Amino acid sequence: MSLGGRNKLSILDKPLSRGKGEISLSCFALLFSEVVQYCQNKSQTLLDLQNRLHELGRRVGTKLIDIYFVRERNGKRETKLLSILLYVKSTFWKALFGKEADKLEHSNDDENTYYLMEKEPIVNRYISVPRDKSSLNCAVFIAGIIEAVLTGTGFPAKVTAHWHKGTTYMIKFEESVMGRDSQLEER
Amino acid sequence: MSRSTRFDTKKVNSELVNLTYGTLVAQMVKDLDNPDDVSKQLDRIGYNIGIRLIEDFLSKTGTARCLDLKDTADKIQTAFRLYLGVQPNVVNWSPAGDEFSFILDSNPLTELVELPENLKQLKYSNVICGAIRGALEMVQLDVQSWIVQDQLKGDQNTEIRVKFIRRLEDAMPAGED
């Protein structure tokens, strides 16, 4: 009776969802807690744990690029540094977290560095960091997402998460990005 | 009665949950060689979530003790709506009334997911079964739960079966006897 392949619409043949689906925060918080525990069980050191969370975040971010640019920008990508940063801060953040990121700042000391700040990242809402691991910021997962989005859209950068005014994501672009952007400016 | 209860509306984008879960599964597939072990682990993770989620459910809905298994099924149905934003149907009761199924037309966990050929036996949504088992265990119900139909494998719907095993008696905490 069963014909193998019946109903087998590939995921790419289906229309792209509008991305308005919602899931309870409690669910996400508990799921994320399992993610952190899983990574922790695999790690020897705190750094190792952060790297694992960062890597998982990167994979999430990579997958979000296409969905969001197709859905919200008709597939049109950004070419300028400031535009992509504003895109991440506003459009992207809003789509993913339901609100814009709190603040975007350019570093005074380093041309290549930007800071994106958020008082209370959603992943940290129900996490209390043990005292002996006070440097751990699980928002490093989100840092991974940002890094993947920037790198994947042609702005290679390293993004890290720090405890500063809530959580601050430090975005450090590669030299080549800055060079190209100033060239674009000149035209 | 419980219909009018206003739920806490804190929600997150389902794609974030979707992809976070997907990345976790992908990482496990990498770490463990056997897809069956991954399925087991996913069930375990669901269990861990379930035993904590039940507290959240009880406090948010203020629900009272279940009178029978039908009642339990209805409450899990509410939980589906509350936590995953879907409304499954409760169907396929066994004649003895100790087994039933939830049918989901759409499964928010698998929205952006495709299983590769070599992972066809992976029970991707096992986390839901685990969560049901974990949550019910905390209210003294021992159940089994498993996936019967799966949209990821080309089925029309996703069907999750729940079988009542026994009522758990209050156990003394370890070391108190």
Side-chain angles (χ1 to χ4, degrees):
Chain A
M1 170 81 200
S2 105
L3 300 163
R6 151 189 77 110
N7 286 327
K8 274 272 190 66
L9 260 176
S10 130
I11 195 162
L12 296 175
D13 296 323
K14 294 182 204 157
L16 184 62
S17 80
R18 284 167 54 240
K20 298 281 181 222
E22 286 180 327
I23 287 182
S24 139
L25 175 61
S26 321
C27 259
F28 177 70
L30 288 172
L31 173 66
F32 189 71
S33 130
E34 290 297 319
V35 171
V36 175
Q37 284 176 53
Y38 183 80
C39 292
Q40 193 170 13
N41 287 338
K42 297 264 168 205
S43 317
Q44 302 296 328
T45 63
L46 209 55
L47 185 67
D48 202 12
L49 168 60
Q50 304 231 34
N51 287 342
R52 276 174 191 276
L53 282 173
H54 193 263
E55 176 56 30
L56 290 183
R58 282 181 56 101
R59 287 188 215 150
V60 172
T62 313
K63 303 210 156 118
L64 285 171
I65 298 173
D66 280 338
I67 308 178
Y68 282 7
F69 274 99
V70 167
R71 190 185 287 148
E72 279 160 40
R73 289 284 162 96
N74 264 326
K76 197 168 155 283
R77 299 266 180 97
E78 298 292 349
T79 50
K80 293 214 176 103
L81 182 70
L82 201 56
S83 325
I84 189 78
L85 280 170
L86 286 174
Y87 168 81
V88 169
K89 175 182 184 278
S90 324
T91 318
F92 181 81
W93 221 261
K94 223 170 177 168
L96 195 59
F97 302 118
K99 62 176 200 59
E100 290 191 16
D102 295 331
K103 220 174 184 181
L104 176 68
E105 275 181 14
H106 194 177
S107 161
N108 290 328
D109 319 319
D110 182 14
E111 191 62 23
N112 302 5
T113 305
Y114 286 82
Y115 302 106
L116 192 63
M117 299 173 191
E118 198 177 20
K119 259 202 207 83
E120 198 186 33
I122 201 167
V123 295
N124 280 351
R125 179 113 18 112
Y126 296 113
I127 291 182
S128 41
V129 183
R131 204 165 286 167
D132 60 325
K133 299 191 176 66
S134 61
S135 69
L136 173 70
N137 189 335
C138 291
V140 66
F141 178 77
I142 296 181
I145 297 183
I146 308 172
E147 181 173 311
V149 170
L150 292 174
T151 306
T153 49
F155 298 85
K158 290 271 167 259
V159 182
T160 46
H162 306 271
W163 291 113
H164 173 70
K165 296 185 184 166
T167 293
T168 296
Y169 305 101
M170 186 169 94
I171 306 174
K172 202 171 162 57
F173 288 102
E174 278 181 14
E175 208 58 56
S176 64
V177 177
M178 310 310 288
R180 189 186 56 198
D181 205 59
S182 56
Q183 248 179 9
L184 275 175
E185 291 279 296
E186 280 162 23
R187 279 195 209 152
Chain B
M1 176 187 70
S2 65
R3 285 289 141 79
S4 60
T5 319
R6 293 195 55 215
F7 298 133
D8 186 337
T9 51
K10 280 187 186 138
K11 296 278 165 104
V12 294
N13 183 328
S14 69
E15 281 170 356
L16 178 64
V17 183
N18 208 297
L19 289 172
T20 306
Y21 181 63
T23 334
L24 179 65
V25 178
Q27 184 62 43
M28 284 180 172
V29 169
K30 250 185 222 165
D31 292 341
L32 305 163
D33 290 328
N34 185 349
D36 293 334
D37 290 344
V38 178
S39 304
K40 247 181 249 163
Q41 184 98 36
L42 291 176
D43 183 82
R44 186 75 211 170
I45 281 184
Y47 176 84
N48 292 342
I49 292 177
I51 57 177
R52 297 173 68 186
L53 201 59
I54 183 79
E55 299 272 358
D56 190 81
F57 179 77
L58 293 178
S59 72
K60 274 183 188 154
T61 59
T63 189
R65 188 172 286 273
C66 295
L67 300 171
D68 53 19
L69 201 60
K70 282 222 161 55
D71 207 5
T72 310
D74 284 347
K75 281 178 181 155
I76 303 175
Q77 190 186 33
T78 312
F80 267 104
R81 200 174 72 230
L82 178 57
Y83 292 114
L84 294 179
V86 290
Q87 174 98 345
N89 288 320
V90 184
V91 291
N92 297 347
W93 281 91
S94 67
D98 63 343
E99 246 185 273
F100 58 93
S101 292
F102 293 107
I103 302 264
L104 289 85
D105 329 320
S106 71
N107 180 351
L109 276 186
T110 59
E111 223 170 274
L112 302 167
V113 180
E114 198 168 38
L115 280 186
E117 275 308 320
N118 58 334
L119 288 177
K120 285 296 179 210
Q121 84 245 48
L122 177 70
K123 292 176 181 138
Y124 187 89
S125 303
N126 244 4
V127 67
I128 300 181
C129 304
I132 294 177
R133 186 167 59 86
L136 290 186
E137 189 178 307
M138 290 300 112
V139 288
Q140 269 113 10
L141 288 173
D142 187 10
V143 300
Q144 269 177 357
S145 175
W146 64 96
I147 293 171
V148 184
Q149 295 186 64
D150 192 342
Q151 277 155 319
L152 275 185
K153 297 173 186 162
D155 295 325
Q156 195 86 66
N157 300 301
T158 297
E159 178 178 354
I160 295 168
R161 192 99 180 130
V162 178
K163 180 180 168 61
F164 171 80
I165 308 292
R166 67 194 170 100
R167 279 187 56 182
L168 298 164
E169 299 300 326
D170 272 334
M172 284 289 244
E176 299 255 318
D177 49 348

